[in-house]
Amino acid sequence: MVPEKLIAAAREAQNNSYSPYSSFKVGAALLTAGGNVYTGVNVENASYGLTICAERVAIYTAVTAGEREFSIMAVTGDHAGYTYPCGACLQVMAEFSPQLRVLVTDKNSIYKEYQLSDLLPQLFSLENQEV
Ligand code: THU
């Protein structure tokens, strides 16, 4: 699948963002190793800390459907600059697919591509701990 198509899926999902508190709409689209696409949006809450990011909604929706291997995550936002995944979302991406490609876009869907390891060079892993 070409990046533009995955970005278009994220952009379409973004319309359903529930973000009355930040007014920052985010969309995500996740391509699985098998070629399926799962989308997510940020869902906010009056108790702000309960907000969940678009990327995690996409990943958790895919995992719920039985998916475990992901190849590309596209992220869109409605602000002028590039919308990058937050640290929490990067950690969740790394749980399943350390080799994930991440497409970050500006509001015109101009994109930059990263490897997940570019964005999160060191991650929390139980295997890294000395006990
Ligand atoms: N947000 C995401 O959906 N993904 C991110 O990676 C960073 C932030 C959302 C959360 C909140 O609804 C809004 O953007 C402003 O922080």
Side-chain angles (χ1 to χ4, degrees):
M1 173 181 287
V2 293
E4 287 77 6
K5 208 170 159 199
L6 195 64
I7 291 166
R11 184 72 69 199
E12 189 183 342
Q14 184 191 301
N15 292 323
N16 291 329
S17 162
Y18 178 74
S19 42
Y21 304 103
S22 73
S23 296
F24 195 128
K25 290 176 181 279
V26 183
L30 183 63
L31 179 67
T32 69
N36 295 323
V37 174
Y38 294 85
T39 58
V41 298
N42 53 330
V43 181
E44 300 187 344
N45 191 274
S47 177
Y48 292 178
L50 297 179
T51 293
I52 185 164
C53 296
E55 299 92 319
R56 273 176 288 157
V57 171
I59 293 170
Y60 295 158
T61 302
V63 170
T64 301
E67 305 279 4
R68 295 293 186 269
E69 285 180 49
F70 309 121
S71 55
I72 314 179
M73 169 73 85
V75 187
T76 64
D78 66 350
H79 282 45
Y82 287 90
T83 301
Y84 282 84
C86 76
C89 289
L90 294 174
Q91 177 75 30
V92 171
M93 292 174 200
E95 177 75 20
F96 296 99
S97 301
Q99 311 296 324
L100 191 71
R101 295 161 60 195
V102 182
L103 309 177
V104 302
T105 64
D106 71 5
K107 77 171 196 272
N108 298 315
S109 293
I110 305 296
Y111 74 92
K112 295 184 191 177
E113 178 171 339
Y114 296 89
Q115 295 291 322
L116 178 55
S117 57
D118 296 330
L119 301 174
L120 187 67
Q122 302 292 337
L123 62 141
F124 177 79
S125 163
L126 291 176
E127 284 156 26
N128 292 341
Q129 307 306 311
E130 289 177 21
V131 285

